[in-house]
Amino acid sequence: DAADGAYFLNGYDDAAKNAAAREQYETLFSEITKGGDVVKATLRTQGRTVNVGRAVLGCRTARFSFQELCGTASGAADFMIIAKSFYTIFLEDVPQLTLKDINVVRRLIVLIDTLYEYNVKVVVLAAAEPPLLFQANKTGAKGEEDAPTNHGDLLDDGKYVTNVHDEVFAFDRTVSRLMEMQSKAYLSAARPLAGTDFLQQEIKHLEMEEEPLSDDEIRAVWDAYDVDETGTLDRHEFHALMEDLQEIKAGHRNFPIEATDVIFEELDQDKNGTLEWDEFRAAGRRFHQLSSTYWHAPTSLAETGAFGF
């Protein structure tokens, strides 16, 4: 059953059951993101801008409504940059669909194909189990005449599908993939580590005060937190790193944004509002100075000097 994994149903006639499913969904989001700050992010691909309204950058997790991803003019390129940037996607309020919704169905097919190919973990809150999401034998309230005769660019590659049976077949694959994506094998499959898991497992001597990080290790940290792949770190991305370091050093994520701002301003030597690689590398070489004795949330901004930056 898909609901045994990360697929929650809220299409019951029972309001209490729907509320319980949403609560489970919200709880899982809190557990995966570890209470990290939810911020907006902007991704860019092929001259297009993809706005992410809710993201927790340190753990590479984003959250979307079904309308945000499939109810707008989104295509394969948009879904690909999302899949490349985030390792876990929360997708909520997925409705049951009919032939009247064929363009929306098409986007859902492409979305799931893309997330599957990039091995993105997907948590879904939907009105029905995967096999019942697309009711191909129904056309909506107004009847069959409402179903479009030209079903559009299914794969966003200029190849138009005019036979509804092709889309039904394609959705069968979507159902299969949605089911597989809830399996333990898929959920445990390797993706690059993120957040504190990445820092603790990949940068093994982070807490050793005498041993500075190598340039390769600093670059690995840089790549892990450059979520939008712009080649710079903005304040949100840098704050995600500060929260993760705080959790490793102090056991909690209470790192004031004001403290991040002070450190960020010091590192941003050219004062352009972002951190370039050279600026970050200079700071990264001093990560070993972040003694656990001093690594705590500062009670005043004056204390931020204790962080070794």
Side-chain angles (χ1 to χ4, degrees):
D1 191 309
D4 291 335
Y7 194 103
F8 302 101
L9 298 178
N10 70 338
Y12 298 106
D13 293 331
D14 187 328
K17 285 185 177 181
N18 292 334
R22 186 169 291 275
E23 183 178 355
Q24 288 178 305
Y25 179 85
E26 298 288 353
T27 297
L28 186 56
F29 180 79
S30 297
E31 290 175 354
I32 288 178
T33 59
K34 300 179 180 180
D37 282 357
V38 178
V39 300
K40 295 180 180 180
T42 302
L43 311 176
R44 293 177 176 84
T45 178
Q46 300 180 7
R48 290 170 57 87
T49 297
V50 179
N51 294 314
V52 181
R54 294 169 291 176
V56 181
L57 301 180
C59 60
R60 295 259 185 166
T61 298
R63 180 170 174 171
F64 299 93
S65 70
F66 180 81
Q67 177 64 25
E68 287 174 318
L69 289 184
C70 298
T72 59
S74 301
D78 302 316
F79 299 150
M80 188 177 298
I81 190 62
I82 290 171
K84 290 173 63 178
S85 300
F86 297 101
Y87 304 159
T88 303
I89 297 294
F90 279 71
L91 180 63
E92 58 202 53
D93 299 327
V94 181
Q96 281 189 295
L97 304 165
T98 69
L99 286 178
K100 186 180 178 182
D101 309 302
I102 201 67
N103 289 325
V104 176
V105 171
R106 172 172 48 87
R107 293 192 192 101
L108 179 59
I109 291 169
V110 178
L111 171 65
I112 297 303
D113 280 349
T114 305
L115 298 179
Y116 181 88
E117 288 164 6
Y118 279 85
N119 200 33
V120 176
K121 296 176 175 63
V122 181
V123 181
V124 179
L125 181 65
E129 292 275 16
L132 300 177
L133 281 178
F134 178 33
Q135 311 247 322
N137 60 334
K138 296 183 180 180
T139 56
K142 294 184 180 180
E144 189 171 353
E145 66 275 8
D146 290 326
T149 57
N150 186 330
H151 300 299
D153 186 0
L154 178 61
L155 300 179
D156 198 25
D157 61 0
K159 297 178 181 179
Y160 285 83
V161 175
T162 57
N163 188 336
V164 70
H165 293 294
D166 292 337
E167 286 170 327
V168 172
F169 176 79
F171 199 81
D172 285 343
R173 184 181 68 246
T174 299
V175 169
S176 176
R177 289 185 166 182
L178 275 171
M179 300 295 286
E180 182 183 345
M181 291 165 94
Q182 313 313 314
S183 69
K184 291 181 179 179
Y186 182 92
L187 293 172
S188 62
R191 262 312 286 275
L193 295 170
T196 54
D197 292 335
F198 163 80
L199 292 174
Q200 289 176 311
Q201 294 188 41
E202 297 299 311
I203 315 299
K204 297 184 184 300
H205 58 269
L206 183 65
E207 298 186 31
M208 297 175 62
E209 298 171 24
E210 8 358 272
E211 188 173 354
L213 302 187
S214 68
D215 277 0
D216 286 345
E217 289 170 319
I218 299 170
R219 171 63 73 174
V221 174
W222 169 272
D223 289 342
Y225 288 87
D226 180 20
V227 174
D228 56 11
E229 298 186 346
T230 59
T232 62
L233 294 188
D234 62 25
R235 289 177 188 267
H236 289 314
E237 291 168 330
F238 186 70
H239 184 60
L241 171 59
M242 293 295 98
E243 286 186 313
D244 289 341
L245 287 171
Q246 177 76 358
E247 183 175 346
I248 290 172
K249 293 288 187 176
H252 62 82
R253 302 180 63 81
N254 181 26
F255 195 90
I257 188 64
E258 295 85 358
T260 294
D261 287 342
V262 170
I263 299 171
F264 190 93
E265 291 293 337
E266 182 177 344
L267 300 184
D268 183 17
Q269 295 295 307
D270 59 10
K271 305 304 177 187
N272 69 348
T274 61
L275 297 184
E276 280 74 38
W277 163 242
D278 287 340
E279 294 169 331
F280 185 78
R281 179 175 59 180
R285 287 173 174 163
R286 290 179 281 164
F287 276 178
H288 65 292
Q289 297 174 7
L290 304 181
S291 167
S292 58
T293 303
Y294 297 103
W295 192 262
H296 58 90
T299 55
S300 70
L301 296 184
E303 291 184 36
T304 56
F307 290 96
F309 289 108

Coordinates of all heavy atoms in Angstrom, one line a residue, residues 29-39 55-61 194-200 225 227 235-260 295-298 307:
F29 N 7.3 16.4 7.3 CA 8.1 17.5 6.9 C 8.9 18.1 8.0 O 10.1 18.4 7.7 CB 7.1 18.6 6.3 CG 7.8 19.8 5.8 CD1 8.3 19.8 4.6 CD2 7.8 21.0 6.6 CE1 8.9 21.0 4.1 CE2 8.4 22.1 6.1 CZ 9.0 22.1 4.9
S30 N 8.4 18.2 9.2 CA 9.2 18.8 10.3 C 10.3 17.9 10.6 O 11.4 18.3 10.9 CB 8.3 18.9 11.5 OG 7.2 19.9 11.3
E31 N 10.1 16.5 10.6 CA 11.2 15.6 10.9 C 12.3 15.7 9.9 O 13.5 15.7 10.3 CB 10.6 14.2 11.0 CG 9.7 13.9 12.2 CD 9.1 12.6 12.2 OE1 9.3 11.8 11.2 OE2 8.4 12.2 13.2
I32 N 12.0 15.7 8.6 CA 13.0 15.7 7.6 C 13.8 17.0 7.6 O 15.0 17.0 7.4 CB 12.3 15.4 6.2 CG1 11.9 13.9 6.1 CG2 13.3 15.8 5.1 CD1 11.2 13.6 4.9
T33 N 13.1 18.1 7.8 CA 13.7 19.4 7.7 C 14.3 19.8 9.0 O 15.0 20.8 9.1 CB 12.7 20.5 7.3 OG1 11.7 20.6 8.2 CG2 12.2 20.2 5.9
K34 N 14.1 19.1 10.1 CA 14.7 19.3 11.4 C 14.4 20.7 11.9 O 15.3 21.3 12.6 CB 16.2 19.1 11.4 CG 16.5 17.6 11.0 CD 18.0 17.4 10.9 CE 18.4 16.0 10.5 NZ 19.9 15.8 10.5
G35 N 13.3 21.3 11.6 CA 12.9 22.6 12.0 C 13.7 23.7 11.4 O 13.7 24.9 11.9
G36 N 14.4 23.4 10.2 CA 15.1 24.5 9.6 C 14.2 25.6 9.0 O 13.0 25.4 8.8
D37 N 14.8 26.7 8.8 CA 14.1 27.9 8.3 C 13.5 27.6 6.9 O 14.2 27.1 6.0 CB 15.0 29.1 8.2 CG 15.2 29.8 9.5 OD1 14.6 29.3 10.5 OD2 16.0 30.8 9.5
V38 N 12.2 27.9 6.7 CA 11.6 27.7 5.4 C 11.7 29.1 4.7 O 11.2 30.1 5.2 CB 10.1 27.3 5.6 CG1 9.4 27.2 4.2 CG2 10.0 26.0 6.3
V39 N 12.3 29.1 3.5 CA 12.6 30.3 2.8 C 12.2 30.2 1.4 O 11.9 29.1 0.9 CB 14.1 30.7 2.9 CG1 14.5 30.8 4.3 CG2 14.9 29.6 2.2
A55 N 11.2 26.3 0.8 CA 12.4 25.5 0.7 C 13.1 25.5 2.1 O 13.2 26.6 2.7 CB 13.3 25.9 -0.4
V56 N 13.7 24.4 2.4 CA 14.7 24.3 3.6 C 16.0 23.9 2.9 O 16.2 22.8 2.5 CB 14.2 23.3 4.6 CG1 15.2 23.3 5.8 CG2 12.8 23.7 5.1
L57 N 16.9 24.9 2.8 CA 18.0 24.7 1.9 C 19.1 23.7 2.4 O 19.7 23.0 1.7 CB 18.7 26.1 1.7 CG 17.8 27.1 1.0 CD1 18.5 28.5 0.8 CD2 17.2 26.6 -0.3
G58 N 19.3 23.7 3.8 CA 20.4 22.9 4.3 C 20.1 21.4 4.0 O 21.0 20.7 3.7
C59 N 18.9 21.0 4.1 CA 18.6 19.6 3.8 C 18.0 19.4 2.4 O 17.5 18.3 2.1 CB 17.6 19.0 4.8 SG 16.0 19.9 4.9
R60 N 18.1 20.4 1.6 CA 17.7 20.3 0.2 C 16.3 19.7 0.0 O 16.0 18.8 -0.7 CB 18.7 19.4 -0.6 CG 20.1 20.0 -0.7 CD 20.4 20.6 -2.0 NE 21.8 21.0 -2.2 CZ 22.3 21.3 -3.4 NH1 21.6 21.2 -4.5 NH2 23.5 21.8 -3.4
T61 N 15.4 20.4 0.7 CA 14.0 19.9 0.7 C 13.1 21.1 0.2 O 13.3 22.2 0.7 CB 13.5 19.4 2.1 OG1 14.3 18.3 2.4 CG2 12.1 19.1 2.1
A194 N 22.9 15.6 2.4 CA 22.7 17.0 2.6 C 22.7 17.3 4.1 O 22.5 16.5 4.9 CB 21.4 17.4 1.9
G195 N 22.9 18.6 4.3 CA 22.8 19.1 5.7 C 23.7 18.5 6.7 O 24.9 18.2 6.4
T196 N 23.3 18.3 7.9 CA 24.2 17.8 8.9 C 24.7 16.4 8.6 O 25.8 16.0 9.0 CB 23.4 17.7 10.3 OG1 22.2 17.0 10.1 CG2 23.1 19.1 10.8
D197 N 23.9 15.5 7.9 CA 24.3 14.2 7.5 C 25.6 14.4 6.6 O 26.5 13.6 6.7 CB 23.2 13.5 6.7 CG 22.1 13.1 7.6 OD1 22.3 13.0 8.8 OD2 21.0 12.9 7.1
F198 N 25.5 15.3 5.7 CA 26.7 15.5 4.8 C 27.9 16.0 5.6 O 29.0 15.4 5.4 CB 26.3 16.6 3.7 CG 27.5 17.2 3.0 CD1 28.1 16.5 2.0 CD2 28.0 18.4 3.4 CE1 29.3 17.0 1.4 CE2 29.1 18.9 2.8 CZ 29.7 18.2 1.8
L199 N 27.7 17.0 6.4 CA 28.8 17.5 7.2 C 29.5 16.5 8.1 O 30.7 16.4 8.2 CB 28.3 18.7 8.0 CG 27.9 20.0 7.2 CD1 27.4 21.0 8.1 CD2 29.1 20.6 6.4
Q200 N 28.6 15.7 8.7 CA 29.2 14.7 9.7 C 29.8 13.5 9.0 O 30.8 13.0 9.5 CB 28.1 14.3 10.6 CG 27.6 15.3 11.6 CD 26.5 14.9 12.5 OE1 25.5 14.4 12.0 NE2 26.6 15.1 13.8
Y225 N 25.8 23.5 -0.4 CA 25.0 24.6 0.0 C 24.6 25.6 -1.1 O 23.8 26.5 -0.9 CB 25.6 25.3 1.3 CG 25.5 24.4 2.5 CD1 26.5 23.4 2.8 CD2 24.4 24.4 3.3 CE1 26.3 22.6 3.9 CE2 24.2 23.6 4.4 CZ 25.2 22.7 4.7 OH 25.1 21.8 5.8
V227 N 22.6 25.7 -3.4 CA 21.4 25.0 -3.8 C 20.9 25.4 -5.2 O 20.5 24.6 -6.1 CB 20.2 25.2 -2.8 CG1 18.9 24.5 -3.3 CG2 20.6 24.5 -1.5
R235 N 22.5 34.8 1.4 CA 22.3 34.7 2.8 C 21.5 33.5 3.3 O 21.9 33.0 4.3 CB 21.7 36.0 3.3 CG 22.6 37.3 3.2 CD 21.9 38.5 3.7 NE 22.7 39.7 3.4 CZ 23.5 40.2 4.2 NH1 23.7 39.7 5.4 NH2 24.2 41.3 3.9
H236 N 20.5 33.2 2.6 CA 19.7 32.0 3.0 C 20.5 30.7 2.9 O 20.5 29.9 3.8 CB 18.5 31.9 2.1 CG 17.4 32.9 2.2 ND1 17.0 33.3 3.5 CD2 16.8 33.7 1.3 CE1 16.1 34.2 3.4 NE2 15.9 34.5 2.1
E237 N 21.3 30.6 1.9 CA 22.1 29.4 1.8 C 23.2 29.3 2.9 O 23.5 28.3 3.5 CB 22.8 29.3 0.4 CG 21.8 29.1 -0.7 CD 22.3 29.3 -2.1 OE1 23.2 30.2 -2.3 OE2 21.9 28.6 -3.1
F238 N 23.8 30.5 3.1 CA 24.8 30.5 4.2 C 24.2 30.3 5.6 O 24.8 29.6 6.4 CB 25.6 31.9 4.1 CG 26.7 32.0 5.1 CD1 27.9 31.3 4.8 CD2 26.7 32.8 6.2 CE1 29.0 31.4 5.7 CE2 27.7 32.9 7.1 CZ 28.9 32.2 6.8
H239 N 23.0 30.8 5.8 CA 22.4 30.6 7.1 C 22.0 29.2 7.3 O 22.1 28.7 8.4 CB 21.1 31.5 7.1 CG 20.4 31.4 8.5 ND1 21.0 31.8 9.7 CD2 19.1 31.0 8.8 CE1 20.1 31.6 10.7 NE2 19.0 31.1 10.2
A240 N 21.7 28.5 6.2 CA 21.4 27.0 6.3 C 22.7 26.3 6.8 O 22.6 25.4 7.6 CB 21.0 26.5 5.0
L241 N 23.8 26.7 6.3 CA 25.1 26.1 6.7 C 25.3 26.4 8.2 O 25.8 25.5 9.0 CB 26.3 26.6 5.9 CG 27.7 26.3 6.3 CD1 27.9 24.8 6.4 CD2 28.7 27.0 5.4
M242 N 25.1 27.7 8.6 CA 25.3 28.0 10.0 C 24.4 27.2 10.9 O 24.8 26.8 12.0 CB 25.0 29.5 10.2 CG 26.0 30.4 9.5 SD 27.7 30.3 10.2 CE 28.5 29.2 9.0
E243 N 23.1 27.0 10.5 CA 22.2 26.2 11.3 C 22.7 24.8 11.5 O 22.6 24.2 12.5 CB 20.8 26.2 10.7 CG 20.0 27.5 10.8 CD 18.6 27.3 10.3 OE1 18.5 26.8 9.2 OE2 17.7 27.8 11.0
D244 N 23.2 24.2 10.4 CA 23.7 22.8 10.4 C 24.9 22.7 11.3 O 25.1 21.7 12.0 CB 24.0 22.3 9.0 CG 22.7 22.1 8.2 OD1 21.6 22.0 8.8 OD2 22.8 22.1 7.0
L245 N 25.8 23.6 11.2 CA 27.0 23.6 12.0 C 26.6 23.8 13.5 O 27.2 23.1 14.4 CB 28.0 24.7 11.6 CG 28.8 24.5 10.3 CD1 29.5 25.8 9.9 CD2 29.7 23.4 10.4
Q246 N 25.6 24.6 13.7 CA 25.2 24.8 15.1 C 24.6 23.5 15.7 O 24.9 23.2 16.8 CB 24.1 25.9 15.1 CG 23.4 26.2 16.5 CD 24.3 27.0 17.4 OE1 25.5 27.3 17.1 NE2 23.8 27.2 18.6
E247 N 23.9 22.8 14.8 CA 23.3 21.5 15.3 C 24.4 20.5 15.7 O 24.3 19.8 16.7 CB 22.4 20.9 14.3 CG 21.7 19.7 14.7 CD 20.7 19.1 13.7 OE1 20.3 19.9 12.8 OE2 20.3 18.0 13.9
I248 N 25.4 20.5 14.8 CA 26.5 19.6 15.1 C 27.3 19.9 16.3 O 27.6 19.1 17.2 CB 27.5 19.5 13.9 CG1 26.8 18.9 12.7 CG2 28.8 18.8 14.2 CD1 27.6 19.0 11.4
K249 N 27.5 21.2 16.5 CA 28.4 21.7 17.6 C 27.6 21.8 19.0 O 28.1 21.5 20.0 CB 28.9 23.0 17.3 CG 30.0 23.0 16.2 CD 31.3 22.4 16.6 CE 32.3 22.6 15.5 NZ 33.6 22.0 16.0
A250 N 26.3 22.2 18.9 CA 25.6 22.5 20.1 C 24.4 21.6 20.3 O 23.7 21.7 21.4 CB 25.2 23.9 20.1
G251 N 24.0 20.8 19.3 CA 22.8 19.9 19.5 C 21.5 20.6 19.2 O 20.4 20.0 19.5
H252 N 21.5 21.8 18.7 CA 20.3 22.5 18.4 C 20.5 23.5 17.2 O 21.7 23.7 16.9 CB 19.7 23.3 19.6 CG 20.6 24.4 20.1 ND1 20.6 25.6 19.5 CD2 21.5 24.4 21.1 CE1 21.5 26.4 20.1 NE2 22.1 25.7 21.1
R253 N 19.5 24.0 16.6 CA 19.6 24.8 15.4 C 19.3 26.2 15.6 O 19.1 27.0 14.7 CB 18.7 24.2 14.3 CG 18.9 22.8 14.0 CD 17.9 22.3 12.9 NE 18.1 23.0 11.6 CZ 19.0 22.7 10.7 NH1 19.9 21.8 11.0 NH2 19.1 23.4 9.6
N254 N 19.4 26.6 16.9 CA 19.0 28.0 17.2 C 20.2 29.0 16.9 O 21.0 29.4 17.8 CB 18.6 28.1 18.7 CG 18.3 29.5 19.1 OD1 17.8 30.3 18.3 ND2 18.4 29.9 20.4
F255 N 20.4 29.3 15.7 CA 21.4 30.2 15.2 C 20.8 31.5 14.7 O 20.2 31.4 13.6 CB 22.4 29.6 14.2 CG 23.6 30.3 14.0 CD1 24.8 30.0 14.7 CD2 23.7 31.4 13.1 CE1 25.9 30.7 14.6 CE2 24.9 32.1 12.9 CZ 26.0 31.8 13.7
P256 N 20.9 32.6 15.4 CA 20.1 33.8 15.0 C 20.5 34.3 13.7 O 21.7 34.3 13.3 CB 20.5 34.8 16.1 CG 21.0 34.0 17.3 CD 21.6 32.8 16.7
I257 N 19.5 34.7 12.9 CA 19.8 35.3 11.6 C 20.7 36.5 11.7 O 21.5 36.8 10.8 CB 18.5 35.6 10.8 CG1 18.7 36.0 9.4 CG2 17.7 36.6 11.6 CD1 19.4 34.9 8.5
E258 N 20.5 37.2 12.8 CA 21.4 38.4 13.0 C 22.8 38.0 13.1 O 23.7 38.8 12.6 CB 21.0 39.1 14.3 CG 19.5 39.7 14.3 CD 18.5 38.7 14.7 OE1 18.8 37.5 14.9 OE2 17.3 39.1 14.7
A259 N 23.1 36.9 13.7 CA 24.5 36.4 13.8 C 25.0 36.0 12.4 O 26.2 36.3 12.0 CB 24.6 35.2 14.8
T260 N 24.2 35.4 11.7 CA 24.6 35.0 10.3 C 24.9 36.3 9.5 O 25.9 36.3 8.7 CB 23.4 34.3 9.6 OG1 23.3 33.0 10.2 CG2 23.7 34.0 8.1
W295 N 31.2 27.3 20.3 CA 30.2 27.2 19.3 C 28.8 27.1 20.0 O 28.3 26.1 20.3 CB 30.4 26.0 18.4 CG 29.5 26.0 17.2 CD1 28.3 25.4 17.1 CD2 29.7 26.8 16.1 NE1 27.8 25.7 15.9 CE2 28.6 26.5 15.2 CE3 30.7 27.6 15.6 CZ2 28.5 27.1 14.0 CZ3 30.6 28.2 14.4 CH2 29.5 27.9 13.5
H296 N 28.2 28.3 20.1 CA 26.9 28.4 20.7 C 26.2 29.6 20.1 O 26.8 30.4 19.5 CB 26.9 28.5 22.3 CG 27.7 29.7 22.7 ND1 27.1 31.0 22.9 CD2 29.1 29.9 22.9 CE1 28.1 31.8 23.3 NE2 29.2 31.2 23.3
A297 N 24.9 29.7 20.2 CA 24.2 30.8 19.7 C 24.6 32.0 20.5 O 24.4 32.1 21.7 CB 22.7 30.6 19.8
P298 N 25.1 33.1 19.9 CA 25.6 34.3 20.6 C 24.4 35.0 21.3 O 23.3 35.1 20.7 CB 26.2 35.1 19.5 CG 25.6 34.7 18.3 CD 25.3 33.2 18.4
F307 N 33.5 33.0 16.7 CA 33.3 31.9 15.7 C 34.5 31.7 14.8 O 34.5 30.8 13.9 CB 32.0 32.2 14.8 CG 30.8 32.0 15.6 CD1 30.2 33.1 16.2 CD2 30.2 30.8 15.8 CE1 29.0 33.0 16.9 CE2 29.0 30.7 16.6 CZ 28.5 31.8 17.1

